[in-house]
Amino acid sequence: MFSPRLISKLHDAKSIVAFTGAGMSAESGVPTFRGENGIWKKFKPEELANFDAFIRNPDLVWEWYKHRKQIIRFIQPNPGHFALAEMEALYPKFAVVTQNVDNLHRRAGNKTVYELHGNIERNYCIGCGTYYSNEEILKFESAPKCTKCKGLIRPDVVWFGELLPASQWFASLDSAEHADVFFSIGTSAVVHPAASLPLLARHAGAFVVEINLETTELSNQIDEFIPGKAGEILPELVRLLKDSATKE
Ligand code: BJW
Ligand code: ZN
């Protein structure tokens, strides 16, 4: 499953980046966005994942996020997440750069996690910026309002047309530019600017590996494509790395 070239690159590597998308959490039971089982088969992204849609129909957007928040509350990290947490301990520099908003990488134990599209467990008032936890607002049937200024409360996620959080973006850029091996895992790599990171890393010298159930636009522009489930491939890879470390 793993080429000798990849194993040798991982053996020599000092700095690793795992860039993840919705496919990373699919085996935990979080629906992906696109494709056959994608959540956007049922809802159009332009109706829900942008600020204008929220202002036009806050209750509909709230209903959609409430549904997803409730899914995320009751799921667990999968073996792929735990494998990335184990991998972090094997390298001097290791960063998870995630497009996911589900917080599963931190829950699995990864310490350096950059969240490019926010975090669905946080919410803030669009009027005064006060933060609210899910516990405080999940009881509401319709879009919750701020207790201080009556402004609408939105999830702290990045919608289309919005800028990515600057600190997370620049830290991700920096880690991509300095990565020896860069994994792109479970993402269709169509949403920019996040999707530019794998090729940016490659141009900066990283060995770029994609793990996905199916090929993407990225697949023929990188060093190695590994077909299959992240939750199966990553634990196998970590087992191999640990075995080779103990034999040295
Ligand atoms: C498995 C698996 C298993 C399944 N194992 N694999 C042209 C060029 C550049 C940019 C643009 C452009 N036109 C428009 C834009 C801007 C836009 C954009 O990129 N649009 C494209 C769709 C064209 N980008 C933006 O608007 C961004 N902001 C921005 O650019 O700011 C500058 C700006 C300012 C003002 C005006 C214009 C620009 C913001 C993007 C925000 C994205 N937000 C979302 C929603 C987050 C909140 C929420 O969760 O509700 O983020 S959209 C959605 O897509 C979500 C995801 O993070 C993101 C990426 O999806 P991902 O993770 O790749 O999931 P899928 O479902 O697509 O793929 C899953 C993959 O997993 C598949 O490949 C499966 O095969 C695989 N898989 N099971 C391994 N077990
Ligand atoms: Zn407020």
Side-chain angles (χ1 to χ4, degrees):
M1 193 195 301
F2 308 113
S3 72
R5 200 157 158 241
L6 170 60
I7 298 301
S8 146
K9 291 280 178 190
L10 284 171
H11 190 268
D12 296 343
K14 303 265 178 300
S15 175
I16 308 273
V17 171
F19 170 59
T20 64
M24 181 80 218
S25 297
E27 290 157 79
S28 292
V30 184
T32 59
F33 290 94
R34 300 167 186 82
E36 269 314 298
N37 300 315
I39 199 162
W40 284 344
K41 278 239 144 181
K42 293 169 214 140
F43 302 99
K44 286 203 183 97
E46 59 273 19
E47 277 170 22
L48 296 165
N50 75 72
F51 188 76
D52 290 346
F54 179 59
I55 296 301
R56 245 190 341 262
N57 198 343
D59 290 344
L60 174 69
V61 175
W62 169 243
E63 194 187 323
W64 191 55
Y65 278 96
K66 185 174 170 176
H67 167 67
R68 291 179 50 215
K69 282 167 185 283
Q70 273 159 343
I71 295 178
I72 282 163
R73 273 176 106 194
F74 296 108
I75 50 138
Q76 301 301 329
N78 66 57
H81 293 104
F82 289 117
L84 291 182
E86 280 192 69
M87 224 193 252
E88 180 161 8
L90 300 177
Y91 289 97
K93 281 187 81 185
F94 188 98
V96 173
V97 173
T98 191
Q99 300 168 86
N100 299 342
V101 297
D102 55 30
N103 212 22
L104 288 179
H105 287 297
R106 282 222 180 76
R107 284 178 55 197
N110 276 106
K111 300 277 183 291
T112 306
V113 181
Y114 303 127
E115 292 174 322
L116 293 177
H117 293 162
N119 188 314
I120 202 170
E121 293 191 341
R122 296 190 304 255
N123 311 275
Y124 66 92
C125 165
I126 63 169
C128 70
T130 300
Y131 273 86
Y132 290 86
S133 69
N134 281 345
E135 284 61 40
E136 289 170 286
I137 61 167
L138 267 175
K139 54 184 179 271
F140 294 108
E141 286 299 323
S142 50
K145 301 254 174 67
C146 179
T147 51
K148 291 185 185 152
C149 78
K150 305 266 180 296
L152 281 165
I153 298 172
R154 62 165 283 178
D156 190 4
V157 298
V158 181
W159 284 328
F160 286 113
E162 294 183 326
L163 294 177
L164 276 54
S167 64
Q168 306 299 290
W169 173 244
F170 288 115
S172 301
L173 267 182
D174 186 65
S175 54
E177 279 164 356
H178 294 95
D180 299 315
V181 179
F182 184 104
F183 289 97
S184 178
I185 307 166
T187 174
S188 55
V190 294
V191 175
H192 287 269
S196 63
L197 290 171
L199 293 182
L200 193 141
R202 189 156 194 256
H203 291 141
F207 186 79
V208 179
V209 185
E210 185 179 29
I211 299 174
N212 200 309
L213 289 181
E214 50 194 47
T215 56
T216 67
E217 281 176 31
L218 204 62
S219 309
N220 60 6
Q221 305 179 68
I222 46 123
D223 296 287
E224 202 155 314
F225 176 75
I226 306 178
K229 292 185 172 177
E232 293 173 3
I233 292 166
L234 290 167
E236 189 56 38
L237 185 60
V238 171
R239 212 168 300 134
L240 208 97
L241 289 175
K242 285 174 134 182
D243 279 358
S244 70
T246 50
K247 278 180 197 135
E248 272 174 11

